[in-house]
Amino acid sequence: MNQGPTEREGESAEPLRYLSKLEAVAIETELLKDYRFGKQQLIEIWGHACAIAIVKAFPLSSLGKRQPTVLVVCGPGQNGCIGLVCARHLRIFEYAPTIFYPKRSSDSLNQDLMVQCERMDIPSLSYLPTEVQLLNDAYNLVVDAVLGPEADPAELGEPHAGILLTLKQVKIPIASLDMPSGWEVEGDNADGINPEVLISLIAPKKCAVGFSGKHYLAGRFLPFDIQRKYELNLPEYSGTDCLVEL
Amino acid sequence: MNQGPTEREGESAEPLRYLSKLEAVAIETELLKDYRFGKQQLIEIWGHACAIAIVKAFPLSSLGKRQPTVLVVCGPGQNGCIGLVCARHLRIFEYAPTIFYPKRSSDSLNQDLMVQCERMDIPSLSYLPTEVQLLNDAYNLVVDAVLGPEADPAELGEPHAGILLTLKQVKIPIASLDMPSGWEVEGDNADGINPEVLISLIAPKKCAVGFSGKHYLAGRFLPFDIQRKYELNLPEYSGTDCLVEL
């Protein structure tokens, strides 16, 4: 069972696995319950890795606007928390993130992550302009941290349904965290938002099979046993990199 | 007050600050209380950065033994927790860490971090051989995660006093996390352990002023306001690197 540590592990010539919604939820539950990872710990790992992916996809030197502005749109759940951590690390990487986080959870983890951003002078918008030209003019890109695979887009209420409508119209690039918000994990998403960059966490979801933009797998911490159990066939990371382009 | 994000921040021609014990404790308290960082979050950031520093100082290809073995010696407090996270990431980077963690805290954070290691098949020693030749033969290096700056070496009891005696005699290199265990933050440490590598967190401590080994500063997340308030004059990190060699 236990392979020697000098062999490469979790690596295979088999094709990369794309996760169903049930599988994505099952893996995360296993990490939290059996491996006793903390939510705070996972969200920090993921948010940090997402920020590095964004730097890779949109280096400071490539940004067209005078200021390295980034709008980070955060949803009410875990995807939004990852967005908050991502914004904080983008600030450390000398970007100028602005947060839009309209429906704030009363959960202490969400609140703590928001305080960290506020104390680091990251501004937040009180509302999202519906005039998309304002967004196109003000920001170099949008980070979509609205909904993750655990969310049900069919049950999406306001303000998030309106936010997705706005994101469908913006002309600046969108980078989606884990999956494009509003997409069904296993459905037809021709009518959804259209990100240029997708940063998959744990493993890509089924909806990403035909994704034609830049696609990263980020967050390198997944126990080898889980990789094997779910036959993820993850690609090999280079050196100590925490992400790999798919 | 708030510098524009296009200017480089937290950077200066002033000399790097070496922290007193009081300053090190004050900064961490401020991160936890005012910035609302979680302990789990900070320990994950630090342990991950320490693992990357160890990979940089001791690349897999440089190791003399047949297996990429590393002994990670963890103390009872926060330094030990950072060691557990470091061991886990070393495993992900395809090293073969073994943990020695003789005095386990009943704190749930410590326990969770240990379960993460156990579930990732990282073995742990039930006792540390006093015959140092056994250690020299079995491991490529020792990671010293016994005591951090908050500890008082004068009050050190068993088994840690004995562990430090053993570490003084080993011939394989030692990499110390945050500061060499058993050293006084501000004292004379000529009689202490003699690490080849030191991985300072937040900022180096006063005891590291004359350190002649390889010295890294690791963990890139410190709010710019804290860097300014304590006049840390941290060096510039490259790209998205989470460490810099001093």
Side-chain angles (χ1 to χ4, degrees):
Chain A
M1 269 301 288
N2 193 4
Q3 297 181 13
T6 50
E7 296 171 50
R8 292 237 161 234
E9 296 188 68
E11 185 195 342
S12 165
E14 295 291 311
L16 180 64
R17 180 80 169 276
Y18 288 75
L19 301 180
S20 69
K21 182 166 176 161
L22 275 179
E23 287 167 329
V25 171
I27 292 176
E28 191 168 325
T29 304
E30 198 162 330
L31 288 171
L32 294 169
K33 296 241 164 102
D34 298 343
Y35 285 81
R36 299 252 292 270
F37 279 95
K39 270 193 175 289
Q40 196 184 58
Q41 200 178 7
L42 295 179
I43 286 169
E44 183 66 31
I45 292 171
W46 285 326
H48 177 245
C50 286
I52 291 177
I54 286 166
V55 173
K56 197 150 191 176
F58 305 98
L60 278 173
S61 59
S62 76
L63 302 179
K65 306 268 192 307
R66 255 175 39 143
Q67 298 287 332
T69 50
V70 179
L71 179 62
V72 183
V73 185
C74 299
Q78 178 163 299
N79 208 252
C81 286
I82 297 170
L84 294 175
V85 173
C86 177
R88 178 163 51 79
H89 285 285
L90 284 175
R91 184 75 194 82
I92 290 285
F93 296 144
E94 301 184 355
Y95 287 68
T98 293
I99 290 167
F100 180 54
Y101 182 30
K103 209 154 186 178
R104 303 186 183 187
S105 161
S106 59
D107 191 277
S108 70
L109 173 57
N110 299 50
Q111 292 192 348
D112 287 351
L113 295 173
M114 188 61 195
V115 171
Q116 291 164 25
C117 288
E118 286 169 349
R119 291 292 316 253
M120 285 185 65
D121 287 332
I122 299 176
S124 53
L125 295 182
S126 53
Y127 70 99
L128 192 68
T130 47
E131 178 56 74
V132 293
Q133 192 54 42
L134 292 171
L135 298 174
N136 296 337
D137 290 345
Y139 300 101
N140 292 279
L141 68 140
V142 177
V143 174
D144 155 31
V146 182
L147 299 174
E150 73 290 350
D152 186 350
E155 290 181 6
L156 193 63
E158 291 305 336
H160 300 104
I163 290 170
L164 292 185
L165 270 181
T166 302
L167 294 188
K168 264 200 254 184
Q169 298 169 55
V170 295
K171 294 278 180 275
I172 49 177
I174 296 174
S176 288
L177 307 192
D178 207 10
M179 58 174 282
S181 296
W183 286 25
E184 300 276 356
V185 176
E186 296 157 68
D188 167 29
N189 295 297
D191 196 35
I193 68 169
N194 184 22
E196 269 189 28
V197 172
L198 173 60
I199 305 161
S200 291
L201 304 171
I202 294 181
K205 317 303 169 288
K206 281 192 187 297
C207 59
V209 167
F211 183 71
S212 58
K214 233 183 213 318
H215 189 181
Y216 297 98
L217 178 69
R220 179 183 180 184
F221 75 100
L222 210 58
F224 298 117
D225 275 353
I226 286 204
Q227 297 186 32
R228 280 190 287 265
K229 176 173 171 184
Y230 290 89
E231 298 174 338
L232 299 183
N233 304 317
L234 299 184
E236 194 183 335
Y237 292 84
S238 164
T240 55
D241 285 0
C242 68
L243 60 91
V244 60
E245 190 170 344
L246 297 178
Chain B
M1 270 303 288
N2 194 5
Q3 296 181 12
T6 49
E7 294 170 52
R8 292 238 161 233
E9 296 188 69
E11 185 196 341
S12 164
E14 295 292 312
L16 179 64
R17 180 78 168 276
Y18 288 76
L19 300 179
S20 69
K21 182 165 177 164
L22 275 178
E23 287 167 329
V25 171
I27 293 177
E28 192 169 324
T29 304
E30 198 162 330
L31 288 171
L32 294 169
K33 295 240 163 102
D34 299 343
Y35 285 81
R36 300 252 290 268
F37 279 94
K39 269 192 175 291
Q40 196 184 58
Q41 199 178 7
L42 294 180
I43 287 169
E44 183 66 31
I45 292 171
W46 285 327
H48 177 245
C50 286
I52 292 177
I54 287 166
V55 173
K56 197 148 191 180
F58 305 98
L60 278 174
S61 59
S62 76
L63 302 179
K65 307 265 190 313
R66 258 174 39 146
Q67 297 287 334
T69 50
V70 179
L71 178 62
V72 184
V73 184
C74 297
Q78 177 163 300
N79 208 252
C81 286
I82 297 170
L84 294 175
V85 173
C86 176
R88 177 163 51 79
H89 285 285
L90 284 175
R91 184 74 194 84
I92 290 285
F93 296 144
E94 302 183 355
Y95 288 67
T98 293
I99 289 167
F100 179 55
Y101 183 29
K103 207 154 186 178
R104 301 186 184 186
S105 162
S106 59
D107 191 276
S108 71
L109 172 57
N110 299 50
Q111 291 192 350
D112 287 351
L113 295 173
M114 189 61 197
V115 170
Q116 291 163 26
C117 288
E118 287 169 350
R119 291 293 316 254
M120 285 184 66
D121 287 331
I122 299 176
S124 53
L125 296 182
S126 54
Y127 70 98
L128 191 68
T130 47
E131 178 56 74
V132 293
Q133 193 54 44
L134 293 171
L135 298 174
N136 295 337
D137 290 345
Y139 301 101
N140 292 279
L141 67 140
V142 177
V143 174
D144 155 31
V146 182
L147 299 174
E150 74 289 351
D152 186 349
E155 291 180 5
L156 194 63
E158 291 304 334
H160 300 103
I163 290 170
L164 292 186
L165 271 181
T166 302
L167 293 188
K168 263 200 256 187
Q169 298 169 54
V170 296
K171 293 277 182 274
I172 49 177
I174 296 175
S176 287
L177 308 192
D178 206 9
M179 59 174 280
S181 296
W183 287 24
E184 300 276 358
V185 177
E186 295 155 70
D188 167 31
N189 296 297
D191 196 37
I193 68 169
N194 185 22
E196 268 188 29
V197 172
L198 173 59
I199 305 161
S200 290
L201 305 171
I202 294 182
K205 315 305 169 287
K206 282 192 186 298
C207 59
V209 166
F211 183 73
S212 58
K214 236 186 212 316
H215 189 181
Y216 297 98
L217 178 69
R220 179 183 181 184
F221 75 99
L222 210 57
F224 298 118
D225 275 352
I226 286 203
Q227 297 186 31
R228 279 190 288 266
K229 176 173 172 185
Y230 291 89
E231 299 173 338
L232 298 183
N233 304 316
L234 300 183
E236 194 182 336
Y237 293 83
S238 165
T240 54
D241 285 1
C242 67
L243 60 91
V244 59
E245 190 170 345
L246 297 178

